[in-house]
Amino acid sequence: MNTYDLLIVGCGPVGATLANYMRMKGYSVAIFDRDTEIFKAPRAMQIDAESCRIFQQIGVQSRLEGKDARPANRHIFVGENREPLMELDFSLLQSEDGYPAAGMRFHQPALERLLREDFNKTTPVDTFFGYEVTEVEGDDSVATLNAEHLETGEVTQFRGNYIVGCDGGASLCKKYIGGQRKDYNYSRRWIVMDVIVHDNDVWNALIDRSEFRCRADAAVVFVKGCNNHVRFDFEVTDDVADSFNETDARALIAEYFNPSSIEFQRIAPYHFYAGMPDKWRRGRVFIAGDAAHLTSPFSGQGLNMGIRDAANLAFKFDLVFRNLASDKLLDSYEEERWKNCEHVIKGATSRGLMISKSTFLGTLQRNFSFWLGSKMPKLALEMTRKMSDFVPYENGLIGGHILSGQQMIQPFVTDATGEKVRLDDAIGDRFGYITDKRLDTPEAEWFANTLGGIIMVMGTDLHDWDGKLTHFLETNDVSGVLIRPDRYIYDADKSSGLSIGKLKTALEAYT
């Protein structure tokens, strides 16, 4: 009874997302967390458009929006005395993902509740809350872990095909895997404060935006969240971090709004550093989320990287469990995700160092670039988006087209029933091939009947709603595009069905 397809250590958003993916596919999952309740304060504040698509795919995004999530369009950079330097309004950018270009500000406890509510759907997820995983082993033909019930002290062993550690920066699974830490030159002490504003007049007067306050080695990030929640992250020296108290906290908040009605959810020192272990796998044990990568808070990507990890792992586990590829396919998880995360971390680090410049010349250069951005807001937005773009996957389970490894756009389409839907909903949680003609080949039969993919013919199975899908195909001079379940493009072609044959060959090479 203690044997599962997958064991997940850590039930934060990353572990819970992976658990939902796997139970939707019909696999048995056990998930472990030492905490019995969801942490009351948000640790993350923003989900990007790709994470929105992932939550759309597992059925929680529409339930999150409204009260617990809204577009994160406005970001402002200010000086020492909060004088405006440059403001970015991402609502001016056209999104290709079906969601706001800068994603959505959200309430993490609400997201986690939705993810856990779905554990009881279809194949239920077995939850072991109040259990601490004390040992993992993945070098044999089956993975095992020992979990101690924190109330009774009883230790139980569990077995699974694989273990994924989504257990944070101090991950036990990361320690088991070993390897060397890759450092990205950002290590700073910060104070994190989560505040509830009970006076609705004060709350409503706060501008809906993220504010980045540029101060020499003392940057401040101030974000208006959801459900009357406000977050402050501010850079401090070691001595300040050790002595900081609630009186100090109220004094800082008073620079932003009247703190008389606030309630503190958390005041905690935190060590932000940027880095990754150089190994994400040992045998049957993997790591994902903060266990695999840590970044500074300046891009809002800490959680989003982990959500992408979960989507990447989920469909590859499915291929392996269905004997459509061998265990070797799982090496492509690190192969694809590692460099992608490195790019994000480097970008966040450079922005963090820019905001807290301490030299006169560095401050002058930064403020001049902000001045230019304030005079040319659309150019500033495009430059910011370019800095934030994620590098496509270059190696792994991808084909050879220039589009291979890039994320597929998500326009609206009309399906065969005449209903207007997002493209991802038309495809579902599977491989999809969009083409301009009906296919009648052995490869197409394999794709539909063995792989479980869907082939959609433009003009028959789906219709372009507003011309965006047609424009995408014509601009890239392709008539067929093969999309992976995680919405990255495997390959594209001008000869209908060619990409399917390449995928079949690629998977056979892993068997």
Side-chain angles (χ1 to χ4, degrees):
M1 292 182 65
N2 293 334
T3 300
Y4 296 85
D5 292 312
L6 185 65
L7 306 173
I8 301 174
V9 184
C11 193
V14 176
T17 297
L18 179 58
N20 275 301
Y21 263 123
M22 299 309 291
R23 64 124 189 116
M24 287 168 58
K25 298 174 189 294
Y27 298 109
S28 59
V29 178
I31 192 165
F32 304 82
D33 202 292
R34 62 175 290 114
D35 294 326
T36 58
E37 303 293 336
I38 295 169
F39 190 65
K40 63 181 179 180
R43 291 183 172 96
M45 296 286 289
Q46 189 163 322
I47 49 175
D48 63 17
E50 185 173 354
S51 290
C52 291
R53 292 178 71 172
I54 291 171
F55 294 136
Q56 172 192 337
Q57 192 174 30
I58 62 175
V60 301
Q61 180 64 26
S62 62
R63 293 144 59 198
L64 183 69
E65 292 178 14
K67 179 175 179 290
D68 298 313
R70 63 180 184 276
N73 287 328
R74 298 180 66 184
H75 304 262
I76 187 170
F77 297 87
V78 301
E80 173 78 25
N81 299 312
R82 298 188 68 204
E83 68 278 12
L85 298 175
M86 180 179 72
E87 184 167 5
L88 299 172
D89 182 358
F90 285 93
S91 66
L92 300 175
L93 286 181
Q94 184 176 9
S95 172
E96 301 295 337
D97 300 297
Y99 291 97
M104 305 191 82
R105 203 157 290 124
F106 80 112
H107 194 62
Q108 182 175 336
L111 170 65
E112 293 193 46
R113 281 193 295 272
L114 292 173
L115 291 169
R116 293 188 184 194
E117 284 174 8
D118 288 358
F119 284 173
N120 294 320
K121 295 181 178 179
T122 59
T123 305
V125 175
D126 285 351
T127 58
F128 296 89
F129 298 147
Y131 283 75
E132 181 166 11
V133 175
T134 57
E135 185 177 352
V136 297
E137 175 59 54
D139 289 337
D140 297 325
S141 59
V142 65
T144 61
L145 65 76
N146 292 339
E148 177 185 352
H149 192 290
L150 293 177
E151 283 193 3
T152 66
E154 181 182 2
V155 176
T156 307
Q157 186 174 86
F158 297 81
R159 297 181 298 275
N161 286 312
Y162 296 97
I163 296 171
V164 180
C166 306
D167 46 345
S171 166
L172 173 71
C173 295
K174 178 169 63 176
K175 293 174 183 175
Y176 171 78
I177 292 171
Q180 300 296 314
R181 178 176 177 271
K182 175 71 173 177
D183 188 89
Y184 292 104
N185 192 34
Y186 186 89
S187 179
R188 302 287 180 93
R189 293 289 297 277
W190 288 66
I191 300 290
V192 178
M193 296 193 306
D194 290 290
V195 174
I196 298 296
V197 180
H198 290 294
D199 187 327
N200 283 327
D201 289 337
V202 173
W203 169 257
N204 292 330
L206 297 177
I207 300 174
D208 187 11
R209 69 187 183 191
S210 300
E211 179 183 303
F212 300 88
R213 190 172 179 179
C214 303
R215 300 198 303 187
D217 296 322
V220 181
V221 182
F222 164 50
V223 183
K224 181 180 181 180
C226 299
N227 302 332
N228 288 66
H229 168 255
V230 172
R231 159 72 59 78
F232 288 91
D233 294 288
F234 54 100
E235 193 177 15
V236 295
T237 57
D238 289 343
D239 58 325
V240 172
D242 294 336
S243 63
F244 194 84
N245 56 40
E246 185 174 321
T247 301
D248 299 323
R250 288 184 178 275
L252 184 140
I253 293 171
E255 298 181 36
Y256 293 81
F257 58 84
N258 184 344
S260 61
S261 73
I262 66 172
E263 172 192 345
F264 287 103
Q265 289 187 303
R266 177 173 58 152
I267 304 175
Y270 192 86
H271 189 178
F272 276 118
Y273 64 91
M276 291 193 292
D278 62 0
K279 293 173 60 179
W280 289 11
R281 177 185 188 182
R282 175 178 166 183
R284 294 180 175 271
V285 178
F286 296 80
I287 51 174
D290 284 355
H293 35 69
L294 290 169
T295 184
S296 58
F298 296 104
S299 290
Q301 282 296 316
L303 172 63
N304 293 293
M305 288 192 290
I307 299 301
R308 288 191 282 278
D309 294 343
N312 191 292
L313 272 173
F315 87 88
K316 292 174 181 176
F317 278 137
D318 178 53
L319 291 172
V320 172
F321 290 162
R322 290 196 286 144
N323 295 316
L324 293 172
S326 74
D327 172 90
K328 292 187 296 183
L329 172 65
L330 300 176
D331 288 336
S332 68
Y333 159 63
E334 179 182 329
E335 193 175 15
E336 292 176 356
R337 295 291 306 126
W338 204 93
K339 188 170 183 180
N340 186 278
C341 291
E342 180 184 51
H343 178 81
V344 173
I345 293 171
K346 285 182 175 180
T349 297
S350 64
R351 282 186 282 279
L353 295 174
M354 174 191 69
I355 290 171
S356 57
K357 288 280 190 184
S358 57
T359 67
F360 174 78
L361 181 58
T363 302
L364 190 65
Q365 291 173 331
R366 177 198 64 205
N367 290 352
F368 179 70
S369 66
F370 284 154
W371 179 81
L372 285 178
S374 67
K375 299 299 181 184
M376 296 177 285
K378 287 190 176 180
L379 177 61
L381 283 168
E382 290 295 342
M383 291 177 64
T384 301
R385 179 160 65 176
K386 186 176 181 180
M387 287 175 63
S388 302
D389 278 349
F390 310 133
V391 291
Y393 297 148
E394 298 178 358
N395 299 293
L397 185 63
I398 59 171
H401 195 273
I402 192 172
L403 290 174
S404 297
Q406 297 185 32
Q407 191 181 29
M408 180 61 183
I409 65 170
Q410 184 184 206
F412 280 102
V413 296
T414 305
D415 63 18
T417 68
E419 183 180 359
K420 177 186 176 184
V421 297
R422 287 186 167 108
L423 179 61
D424 291 0
D425 292 331
I427 296 173
D429 182 21
R430 53 189 166 181
F431 283 89
Y433 183 66
I434 298 172
T435 180
D436 63 352
K437 63 186 67 173
R438 182 68 59 188
L439 300 181
D440 185 17
T441 65
E443 289 79 11
E445 182 180 357
W446 168 86
F447 186 81
N449 297 332
T450 301
L451 187 64
I454 183 172
I455 297 174
M456 293 177 291
V457 180
M458 294 279 290
T460 303
D461 302 312
L462 60 82
H463 299 266
D464 202 345
W465 175 260
D466 55 8
K468 289 183 178 179
L469 182 56
T470 301
H471 177 74
F472 174 83
L473 296 173
E474 291 177 348
T475 299
N476 291 287
D477 193 25
V478 295
S479 58
V481 58
L482 199 161
I483 307 159
R484 306 189 324 183
D486 63 349
R487 307 315 185 211
Y488 282 82
I489 296 171
Y490 171 75
D491 211 340
D493 57 64
K494 295 178 68 174
S495 176
S496 294
L498 183 62
S499 295
I500 293 177
K502 288 182 179 179
L503 176 62
K504 186 174 186 292
T505 300
L507 292 179
E508 288 172 347
Y510 283 109
T511 57

